[in-house]
Amino acid sequence: MSGVMELGYVVYEVSDLAEWERFGVDLLGMQIGERTAGGFTLRTDAKAHRWIVEDGPADDLVATGYEVSDAAALGALVEKARAAGVEVTEGDDALAAARQVDRIFVTTDPMGNRIELVTGLADAATPFASAKLLGGFVTGAGGAGHQVLLAHGVSRETYLAFYVDLLGFKISDIIVEELAPGVVADLIFLHCNGRHHTVAFGDLPSPKKTHHFMVEVTDIRDVGAAYDRCMDAGRPFEMTLGMHPNDHMFSFYVFTPSGFSVEYGWGGLIIDDATWEVRTLDKLHSWGHRPPGVVAELLAAAAPAPNGASH
């Protein structure tokens, strides 16, 4: 297999390192991997890191590391990319050491997102231990999680040529929903392993490169506990608890200190390519995932009147 096999890690540039550490460790239940000259890394499993957090003004995604099975597969993928006219450069020893990988090549997708193709993402020297979780995070063969990126006007044909034809992703499904008259959400979901999607794309109204990154937990109780921790900490939510119709993820969305979101979920669907059929669905949410302001208004309207009188 010469395509990517999983999302290994993401790199974010953030303007408030202290708040990000509190968010990742105290609220989401991650573990500090190591402190670097420009920030820190976060662990969600046995790997040295899954998130690399660097100091800077972007407050956005700056790189995605996709792991390839071995050196031969990486070489074949790089050769295929170059034959297609895509510029790919090999990272030096310093970059490989910083990412804790055996080998690394760097390219960009059609939206300008930095893509790092790697082999040999290292394990940490110590087991993963969360001070907050009852269970753990779902990674393994499914990689670090999934992310939804913004297309920013680049045609679907163009970015699918890069992600499907070149990197080897497969289409999982498409969701097209009219959110309001003349306002249509049109997202496409891609997988490179059993996880329902590793990356998805849509032309959503955001100046950022990323809409959200999803982390999945093994124990449904950890979704509720993280929800409460984020609420008690006063973190703004993008969407309250709900479920998606395509990947069946039970989750909520909370804004990071950088303004994009984290989806925190449980129960994601595993795809079997031998039987999977691509569908187009007409709604983004099976239930819930309501904006917090809408929920607050509904709860306020349903609150009992003083002395038990009806409204």
Side-chain angles (χ1 to χ4, degrees):
M1 177 181 177
S2 61
V4 302
M5 66 177 190
E6 66 178 70
L7 196 168
Y9 58 83
V10 283
V11 185
Y12 296 116
E13 189 178 283
V14 311
S15 59
D16 191 336
L17 287 171
E19 189 60 23
W20 256 92
E21 181 174 342
R22 178 172 178 257
F23 177 74
V25 176
D26 296 340
L27 302 186
L28 302 188
M30 298 179 178
Q31 177 187 1
I32 290 288
E34 66 174 357
R35 299 190 186 279
T36 64
F40 57 87
T41 65
L42 291 168
R43 294 176 57 193
T44 59
D45 61 6
K47 294 297 180 182
H49 52 242
R50 290 299 193 174
W51 290 20
I52 301 172
V53 182
E54 300 176 340
D55 184 35
D59 276 319
D60 205 347
L61 175 73
V62 295
T64 302
Y66 289 111
E67 190 159 12
V68 180
S69 59
D70 54 35
L74 179 59
L77 182 56
V78 169
E79 183 178 337
K80 181 180 179 183
R82 288 173 173 166
V86 176
E87 183 177 351
V88 186
T89 59
E90 184 164 11
D92 59 18
D93 291 344
L95 180 60
R99 300 295 195 249
Q100 299 203 40
V101 297
D102 291 339
R103 201 171 182 192
I104 179 169
F105 285 84
V106 180
T107 187
T108 56
D109 75 5
M111 281 72 71
N113 298 307
R114 177 181 169 109
I115 304 296
E116 298 179 354
L117 304 172
V118 305
T119 56
L121 179 60
D123 288 336
T126 58
F128 173 73
S130 171
K132 299 295 182 181
L133 298 187
L134 296 168
F137 289 101
V138 177
T139 56
H146 79 235
Q147 59 183 347
V148 173
L149 304 180
L150 286 303
H152 290 307
V154 175
S155 73
R156 181 160 292 173
E157 180 183 17
T158 298
Y159 63 71
L160 288 184
F162 180 86
Y163 280 90
V164 175
D165 299 343
L166 180 59
L167 296 189
F169 281 85
K170 297 178 181 179
I171 297 172
S172 302
D173 44 41
I174 297 167
I175 298 181
V176 181
E177 179 180 1
E178 186 172 17
L179 304 176
V183 179
V184 176
D186 185 353
L187 288 89
I188 189 165
F189 302 81
L190 311 178
H191 66 277
C192 61
N193 51 53
R195 191 185 290 278
H196 175 275
H197 59 283
T198 286
V199 66
F201 299 94
D203 253 326
L204 306 173
S206 170
K208 294 189 180 294
K209 295 179 178 180
T210 183
H211 175 268
H212 74 263
F213 191 96
M214 187 284 305
V215 290
E216 184 178 0
V217 290
T218 61
D219 191 320
I220 192 173
R221 295 174 296 175
D222 280 321
V223 176
Y227 188 78
D228 279 355
R229 287 195 300 271
C230 291
M231 189 173 296
D232 292 343
R235 288 245 40 101
F237 287 77
E238 182 180 15
M239 288 182 270
T240 53
L241 291 165
M243 183 175 286
H244 293 297
N246 59 343
D247 69 350
H248 301 174
M249 191 73 70
F250 168 65
S251 64
F252 66 90
Y253 290 69
V254 61
F255 284 110
T256 69
S258 292
F260 57 89
S261 293
V262 164
E263 180 184 6
Y264 202 93
W266 171 87
L269 185 68
I270 301 298
I271 280 181
D272 179 356
D273 275 322
T275 58
W276 184 256
E277 295 182 3
V278 177
R279 300 179 299 158
T280 297
L281 296 86
D282 61 1
K283 57 183 180 179
L284 292 167
H285 315 288
S286 300
W287 61 269
H289 284 156
R290 297 185 180 192
V294 170
V295 174
E297 291 174 2
L298 290 171
L299 291 174
N307 302 319
S310 60
H311 289 286

